[in-house]
Amino acid sequence: MNSRTGTRTGEVMDAIRRRMASRTLSPGEKLPSIRSFAAIMGVSPSTVVEAYDRLAAEGVIRSRPGSGFYVSGALPPLALTEVEPRLDRTIDPFWVSRQSLDAAAETLKPGCGWLPADWMPNAAIRRAIRRLATADDAILADYGGTRGSLALRRLLGRQFADEGLTAGADQILLTGSGTQAIDLICRFLLRPGDAVLVDDPCYFNFQALLRAHQARIVGVPYTRNGPDVALFTEALTVHRPRLYITNSALHNPTGATMAPQTAHRLLSAAAAHDVTIVEDDIFAGFESEPSPRLAVLDGLAQVIRIGSFSKTLSASIRCGYIAARPDWVEALVDLQVATSFGGPSPVAAELVLATLSDGSYRKHLDALRRRLARSRREVAARLDALGLRPWLLPRGGFYLWCSLPDGRNAADVARAALRGTVVLAPGDVFSVSRSASAFLRFNVAQMEDPRVFDVLARAMAAEG
Amino acid sequence: MNSRTGTRTGEVMDAIRRRMASRTLSPGEKLPSIRSFAAIMGVSPSTVVEAYDRLAAEGVIRSRPGSGFYVSGALPPLALTEVEPRLDRTIDPFWVSRQSLDAAAETLKPGCGWLPADWMPNAAIRRAIRRLATADDAILADYGGTRGSLALRRLLGRQFADEGLTAGADQILLTGSGTQAIDLICRFLLRPGDAVLVDDPCYFNFQALLRAHQARIVGVPYTRNGPDVALFTEALTVHRPRLYITNSALHNPTGATMAPQTAHRLLSAAAAHDVTIVEDDIFAGFESEPSPRLAVLDGLAQVIRIGSFSKTLSASIRCGYIAARPDWVEALVDLQVATSFGGPSPVAAELVLATLSDGSYRKHLDALRRRLARSRREVAARLDALGLRPWLLPRGGFYLWCSLPDGRNAADVARAALRGTVVLAPGDVFSVSRSASAFLRFNVAQMEDPRVFDVLARAMAAEG
C-alpha cells in the first residue's frame, strides 16, 4: 500500500483509509479540514491537499467546491455537535493514549502506561494535601519562580548526586510533565525537518510529539542491550540527527536496560557527531539496583536528563523536570515562560516535595518493586499459557513486551479486545518501521482482573 | 538603528547590543550559541549567523574559530556555572516576566500582571484543599481524561450560557494555563512565517509566544474602543494573517473595553478574510457589567475563547481552558496529549471547581471589584501628582496605562527603579512597533507600599 512507499502523502492517504475502514469516517461524512489533519499528522497542509486530491481521483472521496472533501456515498454530512471519544480509532500513536485516558470505568487497560490508582502512595499524598492547606498564601496563589520550587530542585540535585551526577539547583528546571519537558527541549533544539533518532520500538508518544515538531523520525533497531550501536552510528552519518531520545533503564516498551558497553559506545558516537541525547528517566523509581545512565557517564555535557513523578507518585499532580547545561536551562526557562507563562505549579511542586519527603515513600517504592516482580512472574506465566512470550524478562517496572504466536496480528487482536472493553497496546504503535505487528505491550499491574485473560484469549481465537 | 529597518537580522543585532549596553554581556564573554539565541529570538539560526557576522564586521564582537563568538575586549570568557536570574536584563518581552516571577521577597512589583497573594480567595482555596484530601484515589493519582474534568467543563458551559454563548462540554478543553491554551492553538493553526495580528500595545507575552512559533507579528494600533478597525482591515489585506489575538474586555495593558460597533465590524472583516480570532478572556472576572464579547457575537464559529483562573482564583493551581468548534477541539486534544501527555491535572481542576463552587467565591469577586475600583482611583491620583496620566480610566481590573511627562523614557525609568528593587513595566515591551516608550503599565493592586511612589519619583527625577 501507500505506506510502503514511505511517502508522507501515502501516510496521509492510509490514515484516511483506516478511518473509513474503521467507520470513524462514514459515507457522506466530511473529512477533517486540511489544516487540522495536517496538524494531526504533523505534515504540511500541501501534503494533505495532495493526499485528498489523490483519494478523490480514486473516487474514494469527493470534493465539494467551497465546502471541503466528503467520503463518497449517499448520506448527508453528519452534524458535528457533541463529539464522543472515538471507540474504534485507527492504530496510530494517539490510539492507545486516548483509548486509555478516556476509557469508561468498566474498561480494563493492560495496554496503558501507568499503575492503578490504588497502587500509588495515596496515604502520603493525602498527608501532603492536608499540610498544603496550611501553606503560605504565596504557595497557594502566586505563579512562583520561573525554575519552580527551589526546595524540590535541591532534593532532586541531592538524589542525582547520590548517583554520581552533579547538578546545581540552577541546572534543574521543573516543568508541567515529563512530556512537556521533552517538548520544551524540542522547541529549543529542533527546526522543522531536523532528523531525530528514536529506538524502534520506542514509547509511542515520542513519535506523536516529534510529529508535532515536524521532525524527521528515524528509528534505530533496539536490542536486549539497548539500541544497536552499529546501526545507531550509521544513522548518525546518514541522517545527521540533532537529537536522540531514549529510556536507558527499563525501556518503554521492552523493559530492557542498556548495557554499560552500549552506553559508553553510544555516548562516544554521539559526541563525535555532536548529537544531543535526551535521556527520559521516568521509570527510575522502579529499579532496585541502579543501572548505567548516559547523563551520569556524560555529566550533562551533551545529555539532557528529563523525568517526572507520574509513574510512582501521581500522574494527577503534574510535575516533571529537566536537568541540563546551565546555558540551555536559561533558554528553556524563557521558552517555558513564553509558552506556559510562569514555571510549573507551586502547589504541584509542594505536593510532590512533601510526598517524596514523607518517611513512607521509600517503603512505598520497596513494596511497589516487590509487588511488580511478583506480578511480572505471574502474568508472564499466564500469557505463556496463551502462547504469548516475553521478549525478555525486565529487571523492573510493569511492562512485558510479548510476541504473539502463529503470525497473529496485534492490531487485529487489539481491535477485537476493545469490543470486550479491554484496551491493548499493539506493537506497531511503538514501531517507526511498523515492524512490530506481532508484539503486544502488557502492563502487568493492570491485569489482576481475570477478565483481561478471558477477553485476550477470545480476541486471539477470533483473529486466528 | 537596525530595529527601524524592521529586519529580523537587525532585531537580533539590537538585542545583542542591548545586552552589551546593560552588561548582561561583558567584554570577553561568549555570546549565546547560534541555536540557543535563535530559539530565544524566534528566528532561524541563519538569521543569527548573519547578525553575528555583521556585528563581527563592526568589530563589536569577535569570532574564535571552533569556539564561537565573544564580546570584543580583554577579559577571558566567564565560567557559566550557577547562572543567577539576570538583574539588568534588556527590555524585551521576557524582561518583565522574569523580573517579576523571580523577584526577591523585598522587591515591589507594580509592573507585574497579577494580584498580591493575600487578595486571593485563600480561605476558599484552603477549604477546597482539605476536601481534596478526601477525594477518590483516581483524582489523586490518575492522568484523567484528555479534555479534563467534566464537572468543571460543565460549570464553564453554564457560565458561558449565561452570557448567551452555547458551548457543550465537548467543545471545552481544559489546559495547563491560559498561555498554554494559546500555545496549543498556535501549534494547531500556525506554520512558521504565518502572519498574526496583535494589538499595539498588547500583552507582551503574546509576542514572546508568537516568536516561539516563528510567526510574523503584525501590530494593529489600539484605540480607546478597541483596535482601529480601518487599520485592522487594511492589515488583513496586506498581511493575510491566519490569526488575531486580543483581549476584548479590560485589555492588557490599557484596560480598555471594545465598543459594540468595533466588535461587530471586526468580526465582519475577519469573516471576510477567513481569519481566526483568539479572544483571551482572562480578565472576565473583574467586570461588574458584561461588555461585548467576540465569542458570544460569533458563536464560536471563527472565534476561539480562552481563559484561566490565575487572575481571580490562583495562579499556582494551574488551569486554563479553550472553547472552540468541536472539530478543532478534537485536534487540540491530540496536540495536548502529544505535547503534555494527558489532559490537565485532575487535582488542579478539582481545586478550581471546588473554589468556584464555594459560596464565598461570588462575594470574593464583588469585594475584589470594589477594592480595585478604589485602588484605581487612589493610585491614579498619586500618579497624577508625579505627572503620570492614565490613557483612560478602565471599567475594571488592576491596570493603569499611563503616559510619562516631558519626553521621559519608560525603559530608563524602569531601569532606575529596578536599582531601588521596584519592577516597572515599560511601555515598549507591550508595543510591536516600539512606539510606547513614553508609557508605563501600573498594577494598582501592587502599589499599597508607599516605597513604590518614592522609588518611582526618584527614578523619574534621575532620568529627567
PDB file of all heavy atoms in Angstrom, chain A residues 259-286:
ATOM      1  N   ALA A 259      23.177  -1.880  28.364  1.00  0.00           N
ATOM      2  CA  ALA A 259      24.411  -2.455  28.887  1.00  0.00           C
ATOM      3  C   ALA A 259      25.477  -1.354  28.999  1.00  0.00           C
ATOM      4  O   ALA A 259      25.464  -0.401  28.217  1.00  0.00           O
ATOM      5  CB  ALA A 259      24.897  -3.552  27.953  1.00  0.00           C
ATOM      6  N   PRO A 260      26.399  -1.475  29.970  1.00  0.00           N
ATOM      7  CA  PRO A 260      27.417  -0.431  30.136  1.00  0.00           C
ATOM      8  C   PRO A 260      28.216  -0.162  28.861  1.00  0.00           C
ATOM      9  O   PRO A 260      28.461   0.995  28.518  1.00  0.00           O
ATOM     10  CB  PRO A 260      28.309  -0.992  31.245  1.00  0.00           C
ATOM     11  CG  PRO A 260      27.474  -1.991  31.973  1.00  0.00           C
ATOM     12  CD  PRO A 260      26.509  -2.535  30.973  1.00  0.00           C
ATOM     13  N   GLN A 261      28.608  -1.220  28.157  1.00  0.00           N
ATOM     14  CA  GLN A 261      29.394  -1.020  26.929  1.00  0.00           C
ATOM     15  C   GLN A 261      28.575  -0.268  25.877  1.00  0.00           C
ATOM     16  O   GLN A 261      29.103   0.591  25.163  1.00  0.00           O
ATOM     17  CB  GLN A 261      29.840  -2.363  26.324  1.00  0.00           C
ATOM     18  CG  GLN A 261      30.779  -3.187  27.188  1.00  0.00           C
ATOM     19  CD  GLN A 261      30.019  -3.952  28.271  1.00  0.00           C
ATOM     20  OE1 GLN A 261      28.790  -3.868  28.364  1.00  0.00           O
ATOM     21  NE2 GLN A 261      30.741  -4.684  29.110  1.00  0.00           N
ATOM     22  N   THR A 262      27.305  -0.619  25.790  1.00  0.00           N
ATOM     23  CA  THR A 262      26.439   0.087  24.838  1.00  0.00           C
ATOM     24  C   THR A 262      26.388   1.568  25.186  1.00  0.00           C
ATOM     25  O   THR A 262      26.498   2.438  24.310  1.00  0.00           O
ATOM     26  CB  THR A 262      25.015  -0.508  24.869  1.00  0.00           C
ATOM     27  OG1 THR A 262      25.105  -1.912  24.641  1.00  0.00           O
ATOM     28  CG2 THR A 262      24.126   0.132  23.830  1.00  0.00           C
ATOM     29  N   ALA A 263      26.211   1.861  26.464  1.00  0.00           N
ATOM     30  CA  ALA A 263      26.105   3.251  26.912  1.00  0.00           C
ATOM     31  C   ALA A 263      27.369   4.027  26.532  1.00  0.00           C
ATOM     32  O   ALA A 263      27.306   5.133  25.980  1.00  0.00           O
ATOM     33  CB  ALA A 263      25.880   3.306  28.427  1.00  0.00           C
ATOM     34  N   HIS A 264      28.517   3.450  26.812  1.00  0.00           N
ATOM     35  CA  HIS A 264      29.782   4.131  26.528  1.00  0.00           C
ATOM     36  C   HIS A 264      29.972   4.350  25.030  1.00  0.00           C
ATOM     37  O   HIS A 264      30.334   5.442  24.586  1.00  0.00           O
ATOM     38  CB  HIS A 264      30.944   3.318  27.111  1.00  0.00           C
ATOM     39  CG  HIS A 264      32.272   3.824  26.694  1.00  0.00           C
ATOM     40  ND1 HIS A 264      32.746   5.057  27.085  1.00  0.00           N
ATOM     41  CD2 HIS A 264      33.231   3.289  25.886  1.00  0.00           C
ATOM     42  CE1 HIS A 264      33.941   5.256  26.548  1.00  0.00           C
ATOM     43  NE2 HIS A 264      34.250   4.193  25.813  1.00  0.00           N
ATOM     44  N   ARG A 265      29.707   3.309  24.244  1.00  0.00           N
ATOM     45  CA  ARG A 265      29.917   3.425  22.795  1.00  0.00           C
ATOM     46  C   ARG A 265      28.930   4.415  22.176  1.00  0.00           C
ATOM     47  O   ARG A 265      29.273   5.187  21.278  1.00  0.00           O
ATOM     48  CB  ARG A 265      29.789   2.049  22.144  1.00  0.00           C
ATOM     49  CG  ARG A 265      30.952   1.111  22.519  1.00  0.00           C
ATOM     50  CD  ARG A 265      30.728  -0.299  22.000  1.00  0.00           C
ATOM     51  NE  ARG A 265      30.586  -0.340  20.562  1.00  0.00           N
ATOM     52  CZ  ARG A 265      29.979  -1.332  19.892  1.00  0.00           C
ATOM     53  NH1 ARG A 265      29.431  -2.343  20.565  1.00  0.00           N
ATOM     54  NH2 ARG A 265      29.888  -1.306  18.578  1.00  0.00           N
ATOM     55  N   LEU A 266      27.711   4.396  22.683  1.00  0.00           N
ATOM     56  CA  LEU A 266      26.670   5.313  22.207  1.00  0.00           C
ATOM     57  C   LEU A 266      27.075   6.770  22.447  1.00  0.00           C
ATOM     58  O   LEU A 266      26.969   7.623  21.567  1.00  0.00           O
ATOM     59  CB  LEU A 266      25.396   4.996  22.996  1.00  0.00           C
ATOM     60  CG  LEU A 266      24.062   5.325  22.403  1.00  0.00           C
ATOM     61  CD1 LEU A 266      23.790   4.452  21.207  1.00  0.00           C
ATOM     62  CD2 LEU A 266      22.979   5.078  23.455  1.00  0.00           C
ATOM     63  N   LEU A 267      27.558   7.013  23.663  1.00  0.00           N
ATOM     64  CA  LEU A 267      27.967   8.379  24.017  1.00  0.00           C
ATOM     65  C   LEU A 267      29.127   8.835  23.143  1.00  0.00           C
ATOM     66  O   LEU A 267      29.161   9.993  22.703  1.00  0.00           O
ATOM     67  CB  LEU A 267      28.412   8.438  25.480  1.00  0.00           C
ATOM     68  CG  LEU A 267      27.357   8.741  26.523  1.00  0.00           C
ATOM     69  CD1 LEU A 267      28.020   8.807  27.884  1.00  0.00           C
ATOM     70  CD2 LEU A 267      26.635  10.060  26.220  1.00  0.00           C
ATOM     71  N   SER A 268      30.091   7.944  22.921  1.00  0.00           N
ATOM     72  CA  SER A 268      31.246   8.332  22.118  1.00  0.00           C
ATOM     73  C   SER A 268      30.818   8.662  20.697  1.00  0.00           C
ATOM     74  O   SER A 268      31.257   9.665  20.120  1.00  0.00           O
ATOM     75  CB  SER A 268      32.277   7.195  22.093  1.00  0.00           C
ATOM     76  OG  SER A 268      32.644   6.854  23.410  1.00  0.00           O
ATOM     77  N   ALA A 269      29.944   7.827  20.145  1.00  0.00           N
ATOM     78  CA  ALA A 269      29.472   8.074  18.775  1.00  0.00           C
ATOM     79  C   ALA A 269      28.686   9.377  18.709  1.00  0.00           C
ATOM     80  O   ALA A 269      28.864  10.187  17.791  1.00  0.00           O
ATOM     81  CB  ALA A 269      28.604   6.902  18.306  1.00  0.00           C
ATOM     82  N   ALA A 270      27.837   9.609  19.712  1.00  0.00           N
ATOM     83  CA  ALA A 270      27.034  10.837  19.713  1.00  0.00           C
ATOM     84  C   ALA A 270      27.939  12.060  19.827  1.00  0.00           C
ATOM     85  O   ALA A 270      27.715  13.078  19.163  1.00  0.00           O
ATOM     86  CB  ALA A 270      26.020  10.804  20.855  1.00  0.00           C
ATOM     87  N   ALA A 271      28.977  11.960  20.664  1.00  0.00           N
ATOM     88  CA  ALA A 271      29.898  13.099  20.840  1.00  0.00           C
ATOM     89  C   ALA A 271      30.600  13.402  19.524  1.00  0.00           C
ATOM     90  O   ALA A 271      30.758  14.570  19.149  1.00  0.00           O
ATOM     91  CB  ALA A 271      30.922  12.778  21.935  1.00  0.00           C
ATOM     92  N   ALA A 272      31.004  12.348  18.807  1.00  0.00           N
ATOM     93  CA  ALA A 272      31.722  12.557  17.551  1.00  0.00           C
ATOM     94  C   ALA A 272      30.841  13.255  16.519  1.00  0.00           C
ATOM     95  O   ALA A 272      31.346  13.927  15.617  1.00  0.00           O
ATOM     96  CB  ALA A 272      32.207  11.211  17.013  1.00  0.00           C
ATOM     97  N   HIS A 273      29.519  13.109  16.659  1.00  0.00           N
ATOM     98  CA  HIS A 273      28.608  13.720  15.679  1.00  0.00           C
ATOM     99  C   HIS A 273      27.807  14.876  16.265  1.00  0.00           C
ATOM    100  O   HIS A 273      26.843  15.327  15.653  1.00  0.00           O
ATOM    101  CB  HIS A 273      27.658  12.652  15.108  1.00  0.00           C
ATOM    102  CG  HIS A 273      28.331  11.699  14.187  1.00  0.00           C
ATOM    103  ND1 HIS A 273      29.083  10.627  14.644  1.00  0.00           N
ATOM    104  CD2 HIS A 273      28.402  11.651  12.833  1.00  0.00           C
ATOM    105  CE1 HIS A 273      29.561   9.959  13.610  1.00  0.00           C
ATOM    106  NE2 HIS A 273      29.172  10.556  12.506  1.00  0.00           N
ATOM    107  N   ASP A 274      28.174  15.314  17.472  1.00  0.00           N
ATOM    108  CA  ASP A 274      27.523  16.477  18.084  1.00  0.00           C
ATOM    109  C   ASP A 274      26.003  16.311  18.181  1.00  0.00           C
ATOM    110  O   ASP A 274      25.239  17.214  17.836  1.00  0.00           O
ATOM    111  CB  ASP A 274      27.879  17.743  17.292  1.00  0.00           C
ATOM    112  CG  ASP A 274      27.586  18.999  18.110  1.00  0.00           C
ATOM    113  OD1 ASP A 274      27.571  18.899  19.357  1.00  0.00           O
ATOM    114  OD2 ASP A 274      27.347  20.062  17.504  1.00  0.00           O
ATOM    115  N   VAL A 275      25.607  15.125  18.629  1.00  0.00           N
ATOM    116  CA  VAL A 275      24.174  14.843  18.791  1.00  0.00           C
ATOM    117  C   VAL A 275      23.815  14.977  20.268  1.00  0.00           C
ATOM    118  O   VAL A 275      24.519  14.458  21.132  1.00  0.00           O
ATOM    119  CB  VAL A 275      23.851  13.412  18.313  1.00  0.00           C
ATOM    120  CG1 VAL A 275      22.431  13.022  18.681  1.00  0.00           C
ATOM    121  CG2 VAL A 275      24.077  13.308  16.825  1.00  0.00           C
ATOM    122  N   THR A 276      22.757  15.686  20.553  1.00  0.00           N
ATOM    123  CA  THR A 276      22.265  15.791  21.923  1.00  0.00           C
ATOM    124  C   THR A 276      21.384  14.585  22.232  1.00  0.00           C
ATOM    125  O   THR A 276      20.609  14.145  21.381  1.00  0.00           O
ATOM    126  CB  THR A 276      21.462  17.090  22.095  1.00  0.00           C
ATOM    127  OG1 THR A 276      22.330  18.190  21.812  1.00  0.00           O
ATOM    128  CG2 THR A 276      20.929  17.223  23.515  1.00  0.00           C
ATOM    129  N   ILE A 277      21.535  14.044  23.430  1.00  0.00           N
ATOM    130  CA  ILE A 277      20.729  12.895  23.843  1.00  0.00           C
ATOM    131  C   ILE A 277      19.770  13.317  24.942  1.00  0.00           C
ATOM    132  O   ILE A 277      20.185  13.928  25.935  1.00  0.00           O
ATOM    133  CB  ILE A 277      21.629  11.746  24.345  1.00  0.00           C
ATOM    134  CG1 ILE A 277      22.566  11.276  23.218  1.00  0.00           C
ATOM    135  CG2 ILE A 277      20.782  10.577  24.872  1.00  0.00           C
ATOM    136  CD1 ILE A 277      23.537  10.188  23.637  1.00  0.00           C
ATOM    137  N   VAL A 278      18.503  13.041  24.755  1.00  0.00           N
ATOM    138  CA  VAL A 278      17.525  13.238  25.823  1.00  0.00           C
ATOM    139  C   VAL A 278      17.297  11.882  26.474  1.00  0.00           C
ATOM    140  O   VAL A 278      16.825  10.945  25.826  1.00  0.00           O
ATOM    141  CB  VAL A 278      16.187  13.785  25.286  1.00  0.00           C
ATOM    142  CG1 VAL A 278      15.161  13.854  26.406  1.00  0.00           C
ATOM    143  CG2 VAL A 278      16.400  15.159  24.665  1.00  0.00           C
ATOM    144  N   GLU A 279      17.688  11.788  27.738  1.00  0.00           N
ATOM    145  CA  GLU A 279      17.510  10.539  28.470  1.00  0.00           C
ATOM    146  C   GLU A 279      16.272  10.690  29.358  1.00  0.00           C
ATOM    147  O   GLU A 279      16.278  11.472  30.314  1.00  0.00           O
ATOM    148  CB  GLU A 279      18.754  10.244  29.299  1.00  0.00           C
ATOM    149  CG  GLU A 279      18.696   8.900  29.995  1.00  0.00           C
ATOM    150  CD  GLU A 279      20.037   8.544  30.660  1.00  0.00           C
ATOM    151  OE1 GLU A 279      20.576   9.383  31.420  1.00  0.00           O
ATOM    152  OE2 GLU A 279      20.543   7.455  30.403  1.00  0.00           O
ATOM    153  N   ASP A 280      15.236   9.951  28.998  1.00  0.00           N
ATOM    154  CA  ASP A 280      13.971  10.027  29.718  1.00  0.00           C
ATOM    155  C   ASP A 280      14.027   8.997  30.847  1.00  0.00           C
ATOM    156  O   ASP A 280      13.951   7.805  30.612  1.00  0.00           O
ATOM    157  CB  ASP A 280      12.831   9.719  28.735  1.00  0.00           C
ATOM    158  CG  ASP A 280      11.474   9.668  29.416  1.00  0.00           C
ATOM    159  OD1 ASP A 280      11.401   9.867  30.647  1.00  0.00           O
ATOM    160  OD2 ASP A 280      10.475   9.423  28.709  1.00  0.00           O
ATOM    161  N   ASP A 281      14.140   9.509  32.068  1.00  0.00           N
ATOM    162  CA  ASP A 281      14.411   8.646  33.231  1.00  0.00           C
ATOM    163  C   ASP A 281      13.144   8.370  34.032  1.00  0.00           C
ATOM    164  O   ASP A 281      13.186   8.161  35.245  1.00  0.00           O
ATOM    165  CB  ASP A 281      15.441   9.356  34.116  1.00  0.00           C
ATOM    166  CG  ASP A 281      16.397   8.371  34.768  1.00  0.00           C
ATOM    167  OD1 ASP A 281      16.449   7.203  34.323  1.00  0.00           O
ATOM    168  OD2 ASP A 281      17.098   8.774  35.712  1.00  0.00           O
ATOM    169  N   ILE A 282      12.018   8.344  33.343  1.00  0.00           N
ATOM    170  CA  ILE A 282      10.725   8.325  34.019  1.00  0.00           C
ATOM    171  C   ILE A 282      10.471   7.047  34.815  1.00  0.00           C
ATOM    172  O   ILE A 282       9.677   7.038  35.752  1.00  0.00           O
ATOM    173  CB  ILE A 282       9.614   8.580  32.973  1.00  0.00           C
ATOM    174  CG1 ILE A 282       8.322   9.021  33.636  1.00  0.00           C
ATOM    175  CG2 ILE A 282       9.414   7.379  32.071  1.00  0.00           C
ATOM    176  CD1 ILE A 282       7.355   9.687  32.694  1.00  0.00           C
ATOM    177  N   PHE A 283      11.200   5.963  34.485  1.00  0.00           N
ATOM    178  CA  PHE A 283      10.974   4.706  35.189  1.00  0.00           C
ATOM    179  C   PHE A 283      12.017   4.437  36.264  1.00  0.00           C
ATOM    180  O   PHE A 283      12.085   3.330  36.819  1.00  0.00           O
ATOM    181  CB  PHE A 283      10.923   3.541  34.191  1.00  0.00           C
ATOM    182  CG  PHE A 283       9.849   3.692  33.165  1.00  0.00           C
ATOM    183  CD1 PHE A 283      10.142   4.022  31.863  1.00  0.00           C
ATOM    184  CD2 PHE A 283       8.516   3.542  33.523  1.00  0.00           C
ATOM    185  CE1 PHE A 283       9.148   4.191  30.917  1.00  0.00           C
ATOM    186  CE2 PHE A 283       7.505   3.704  32.584  1.00  0.00           C
ATOM    187  CZ  PHE A 283       7.820   4.035  31.276  1.00  0.00           C
ATOM    188  N   ALA A 284      12.847   5.433  36.582  1.00  0.00           N
ATOM    189  CA  ALA A 284      13.967   5.250  37.512  1.00  0.00           C
ATOM    190  C   ALA A 284      13.515   4.647  38.838  1.00  0.00           C
ATOM    191  O   ALA A 284      14.190   3.785  39.409  1.00  0.00           O
ATOM    192  CB  ALA A 284      14.673   6.578  37.747  1.00  0.00           C
ATOM    193  N   GLY A 285      12.357   5.077  39.337  1.00  0.00           N
ATOM    194  CA  GLY A 285      11.916   4.637  40.656  1.00  0.00           C
ATOM    195  C   GLY A 285      11.647   3.145  40.751  1.00  0.00           C
ATOM    196  O   GLY A 285      11.549   2.600  41.855  1.00  0.00           O
ATOM    197  N   PHE A 286      11.545   2.479  39.611  1.00  0.00           N
ATOM    198  CA  PHE A 286      11.238   1.041  39.623  1.00  0.00           C
ATOM    199  C   PHE A 286      12.479   0.162  39.684  1.00  0.00           C
ATOM    200  O   PHE A 286      12.366  -1.052  39.753  1.00  0.00           O
ATOM    201  CB  PHE A 286      10.416   0.661  38.384  1.00  0.00           C
ATOM    202  CG  PHE A 286       9.048   1.266  38.359  1.00  0.00           C
ATOM    203  CD1 PHE A 286       8.682   2.182  37.398  1.00  0.00           C
ATOM    204  CD2 PHE A 286       8.115   0.917  39.334  1.00  0.00           C
ATOM    205  CE1 PHE A 286       7.415   2.740  37.381  1.00  0.00           C
ATOM    206  CE2 PHE A 286       6.842   1.466  39.327  1.00  0.00           C
ATOM    207  CZ  PHE A 286       6.497   2.389  38.351  1.00  0.00           C
TER     208      PHE A 286
END
